Amino acid sequence: MAYPLEARLRPAYELRSALASGIATNVVLATPSTFLLTPGHALVLGGVLLCHCIWRGTAGLEVLRYRSNLRRQRRYVVTAVDLPYSAERLFLGRGFRWDQRHTQRLIESRLPENQHLLGPSALGRMAALFQDEPDANAGIGGDPAIHGVEPAESNIWMDISDRVGHTLVLGTTRVGKTRLAEVLISQDIRRGEVVIVFDPKGDIDLLRRVYAEARRAGREGEFFMFHLGHPELSARYNPVGSFSRITEVATRIAGQLPSEGQSAAFKEFVWRFVNVMARALVALGRKPDYEQINRYASNVEPLLNDYFEHWLDREPAAAGWRAEVESMAIDKKSLDKGLQSRGFRAVTLVEYVRRKKLYDPIGNALASTLNYEKSYFDKLVASLLPLMEKLTTGRTAALLSPDFNDVTDWRPVFDWSSVINLGGIAYVGLDALSDYEVAAAVGNSMFADLTSVAGSLYKFGAGRGLPGETLPRRISIHADEFNELIGDEFIPLLNKAGGAGFQVTAYTQTWSDVEARIGSKAKAGQIAGNFNTLIMLRVKEIATAELLTSQLPEVRIVSTVASSSVSDTNDPGEFADFASRNEDRITTESAPMLSPSDLVQLPKGQAFALIHGGQLHKIRMPLPDAGHDPLMPASLEAIGAEISGRAVRPTFRATDDDPRVGKAIGF
C-alpha cells in the first residue's frame, strides 16, 4: 500500500544516503583488505553499494527537480515547420491530465511553510544581477507552480471527431488567445479543411500567419481575403445576395435592429418592408444588396414603378395598359391621404390596377406601402435608414454592394457556397476598432449567411448544383472576439450546423461580454451549452472562471494534524506521575479540483482544457515563432500584391481527390 502523502517538498534526504553509499563504494573497491574482503567479494559489495547510491540519488534528484519545477517560468516556442501535426488529431500543446494528485500538490505548495520554495533561488537571483539582456522567459507572469506540479509532460492531442461539438476559448487580453488560434488554424489548413477566420480587430499578424500557412500547404490559390479596413485590397462580398429562401434577406437586415419594448413593432414593420423590396428585386432579376435596399427604403416609388411595368407587361388581362395609363385622369383629392403625397406615375399605376381589379402578391404589397402618408412612413422605417447608411457609406459600399458590371474592378466577389465548394480559406477582417457598428452589422450578416449555407448542406449535401458527386468537407470556423459578432443567428449555427460539417472555435475574453451582447442570460447559457470543448486561459472575471470550475468534481485532500496530549495519575503505586502522547494524524477533506483563483493566476500561454468528454488537462500552448518563417509575407501590401496578380490571370486545376471539381487559382 502506497503512503498517502507524497511529501515532495521535504529536503532531499536521499542524497545523504546516496553520498554515503558512493563513498563506501570507492573505499571498498580501493582497499578491500581493510574490510577483510577478497577482490571478488569487494566487487560484489561495491556493486550493491553503487546500486543503492544510484537508487537513492535518483530519488533525491527527483525531489530537487520537483522543487525546481515549481518556480520555473517556461515559454514554449516552436517554428511553423516544427509544429506537430496529425490528420486525425488536433494538437493543443504540451501538458498532462489533471487529477487529485495535482490538486494535492498545488495546495501543499501554497502552505506558508513552503513559500520560500516558490521564489527564485539564490543562484537565480545572482544570475539575474549580471544578465545584460532580459530573459526570454520573463513577462510570462502568473504562478508557475500550477504547471510545475507535474514534471512529466507530454503532447496533448484532441480527437478530430470532437471538433464538431464546437470549442470555446476564454482568456483575458494579451494572454495568448490569438496565438492559440494561429496554432489551431495552421493545423486545419494543413489538413485541407475549409477554413473561415473571423477577426473583428483585423490583426495583421493573424492575417499574415493564415496566408503563410496557406502557402506552406500549397493552398495560396484558395485564399480569400475580406478586410473592411483595406477595401482597396479586399475581395467583395454581398451579405444579402445569397440565400435559400427570399425571407432571409429581411431577417438578416431587420435582425440587427433593436427589439425591446416599442421597438419590436417597428422591427416587424421593417422586416415586412425589406421583404417586399427583396421579393420585387428578385422578380426583376436583380440581386438584392445594401445599396438598393438603402435607395428604395428612402423612396420606394422607383421600385414600384419598375415592378408594376414588369408585371403588367406579362399580365394577359392588362393588354394595352400603357395607353390606358397615359389617358387616365386622376383627382388626387379623391385618393387616400397616403397616395396624395406620392408621385404621379406611382399613383397612376396603383389606381389602374385597382380599377382593373388585378392582383399580384408583390405588387399588392408594394402598393400597400403607398397608403401610408410619406412623413409617417419615414418614421416607421427610421430605424432602418441609419443602419443602411452605415453599410453604404464610403469605400465600404463598394465591398458590400459589388457592381458586377464594372470590368475595371479586379477585386473578386465571393460567397460562402463558392468558398466551401472550392475548399477555400477565407480571412474576414472587420476593423472593429475603427467602426464597431459596421463591423458588428457585417459580422452578423455573414454569420446569418453561413447558417443558411449550413442548412442547405444539411438538406442537400455538398456540391449542390455541381456536376457529379462532391465529397463532404469539414468546415472550420474560427471566430476571434466572437462576442462582437454574436447574435440570435449564432444559436442555430451552433445547434444544428454540426450535421453539415461545421466546427466552430470561438474566442472571447469573458462570458459577461457574450451575455451583454446577446442581451439575455438564458440565451447566453444556451450558447454555452453548445460548446462541448472548453479551453480557458488566464481570466480576471470569477463568473467566467466558474464556467470551468463548476463542471469539475470535488476531490479528497490529504493533510496531517499534529496532536499531543498529557494525562495525570493519582495512584501512589504508580512510578509515573503522568503520561504524554504525541502523534501526527492523517485526515482527508473535500476540496474543489480547481478554484477560480487558480485560473486568475495562470501564466501567459498556459490553459486548462476540458476535452475528451470532460477530462481536465493542463497545457502549455506552443507560441509560433514568426521571426524565422521564410513564407511569412512582409506586410499586408505584399499579400495584396500577390492576390491581385493571381486575380488578373485566373487558371484552374483539378483536385487530387475529385478531378471533376475545379479549384480557382486566385479567386
Side-chain angles (χ1 to χ4, degrees), residues 168-171 482 506 508-515 521 524-537 539 541-553 594-596 599 608-610 614 616:
L168 176 62
V169 179
L170 291 164
F482 92 110
T508 190
Q509 295 184 15
T510 69
W511 194 248
S512 293
D513 293 335
V514 177
E515 292 183 0
K521 190 172 184 178
Q526 185 181 7
I527 293 171
N530 282 284
F531 289 103
N532 291 340
T533 299
L534 177 61
I535 301 175
M536 188 168 292
L537 295 84
V539 295
E541 185 185 57
I542 298 300
T544 301
E546 289 177 344
L547 278 178
L548 175 65
T549 59
S550 63
Q551 300 183 56
L552 302 176
L594 278 181
S595 66
L599 300 175
F608 282 98
L610 207 59
L616 181 65

Side-chain angles (χ1 to χ4, degrees), residues 182-244:
E182 292 182 15
V183 172
L184 303 184
I185 291 168
S186 298
Q187 297 176 73
D188 290 341
I189 291 175
R190 296 181 192 185
R191 271 191 296 272
E193 298 175 359
V194 176
V195 179
I196 301 173
V197 180
F198 286 93
D199 182 12
K201 295 179 299 185
D203 189 328
I204 298 301
D205 289 337
L206 179 58
L207 170 59
R208 293 168 62 226
R209 169 60 58 187
V210 173
Y211 188 72
E213 291 300 329
R215 294 177 62 185
R216 182 169 288 104
R219 301 178 61 189
E220 64 270 25
E222 303 164 4
F223 180 78
F224 296 75
M225 182 183 72
F226 177 88
H227 205 303
L228 289 176
H230 300 276
E232 71 282 358
L233 302 176
S234 171
R236 295 171 291 170
Y237 169 78
N238 183 354
V240 295
S242 177
F243 45 82
S244 298

Side-chain angles (χ1 to χ4, degrees), residues 372-386:
Y372 296 95
E373 196 272 327
K374 192 172 188 311
S375 60
Y376 178 68
F377 180 82
D378 291 341
K379 293 179 182 178
L380 292 176
V381 298
S383 58
L384 173 64
L385 297 178

Side-chain angles (χ1 to χ4, degrees), residues 108-175:
E108 289 177 356
S109 70
R110 290 172 174 171
L111 293 175
E113 59 267 27
N114 296 324
Q115 288 302 298
H116 67 283
L117 300 175
L118 302 182
S121 63
L123 184 61
R125 290 193 296 268
M126 291 179 60
L129 295 176
F130 297 97
Q131 199 170 30
D132 295 331
E133 297 182 359
D135 188 359
N137 292 331
I140 296 177
D143 183 2
I146 297 176
H147 196 87
V149 294
E150 180 54 76
E153 60 178 5
S154 59
N155 288 349
I156 302 298
W157 299 85
M158 172 180 163
D159 290 339
I160 290 296
S161 58
D162 292 340
R163 293 287 301 282
V164 76
H166 311 307
T167 303
L168 176 62
V169 179
L170 291 164
T172 189
T173 182
R174 311 304 300 172
V175 295

Side-chain angles (χ1 to χ4, degrees), residues 194 196 222 224 226 235-243 252 287 399 402 404 412-426 428 446 449-450 453 464 667:
V194 176
I196 301 173
E222 303 164 4
F224 296 75
F226 177 88
R236 295 171 291 170
Y237 169 78
N238 183 354
V240 295
S242 177
F243 45 82
R252 294 177 197 175
K287 180 173 288 192
L399 289 185
F404 292 89
V413 181
F414 74 96
D415 57 61
W416 295 128
S417 294
S418 63
V419 171
I420 293 172
N421 288 333
L422 294 173
I425 302 167
V428 178
M446 285 186 163
D449 193 0
L450 270 174
V453 172
R464 184 188 182 193
F667 290 88

